[in-house]
Amino acid sequence: MKLDTVVTLEGNEKYYLVDETIQNDKKYFLANKLDDNEEITIESCIFEEIKDGEDYYLDEIVDENIIKYLTTVFTSNLISDIDELKEA
């Protein structure tokens, strides 16, 4: 799966992959849910990318401790991106 793409999950829910990180050899994505008009909403989720043979799928993270940790990582990424834009 790639950043800046839209993925469709079961139930036809669509998410835009905003950011990614690899932690402990696992790939995680921060994603924003899209509405019926495919506009980005404020509802977000963190997913783990799971490989099953040649297929990939996303599993929503529900463990609060993992969510807190990954939120810190994604926030740090955002701050770093903003700082880079300021320097440009």
Side-chain angles (χ1 to χ4, degrees):
M1 304 209 178
K2 295 181 183 181
L3 280 184
D4 298 325
T5 60
V6 174
V7 294
T8 304
L9 305 180
E10 290 180 12
N12 208 31
E13 290 183 326
K14 294 183 179 185
Y15 286 85
Y16 176 73
L17 302 181
V18 178
D19 198 2
E20 69 182 351
T21 186
I22 297 174
Q23 304 291 318
N24 299 319
D25 296 324
K26 295 179 182 179
K27 187 183 242 184
Y28 297 96
F29 288 98
L30 174 63
N32 281 91
K33 189 173 185 176
L34 301 180
D35 64 17
D36 292 337
N37 297 319
E38 296 199 7
E39 298 289 327
I40 294 174
T41 68
I42 62 170
E43 186 178 337
S44 62
C45 291
I46 297 175
F47 296 102
E48 178 182 348
E49 181 181 73
I50 306 293
K51 183 177 181 185
D52 184 16
E54 295 298 316
D55 297 324
Y56 290 89
Y57 65 95
L58 297 175
D59 188 24
E60 184 177 354
I61 302 299
V62 294
D63 182 297
E64 288 296 320
N65 292 323
I66 296 172
I67 290 171
K68 286 178 185 176
Y69 172 74
L70 291 172
T71 299
T72 302
V73 171
F74 288 125
T75 301
S76 177
N77 288 350
L78 176 61
I79 291 169
S80 178
D81 290 346
I82 291 170
D83 287 343
E84 286 179 16
L85 288 173
K86 286 180 181 178
E87 293 173 5

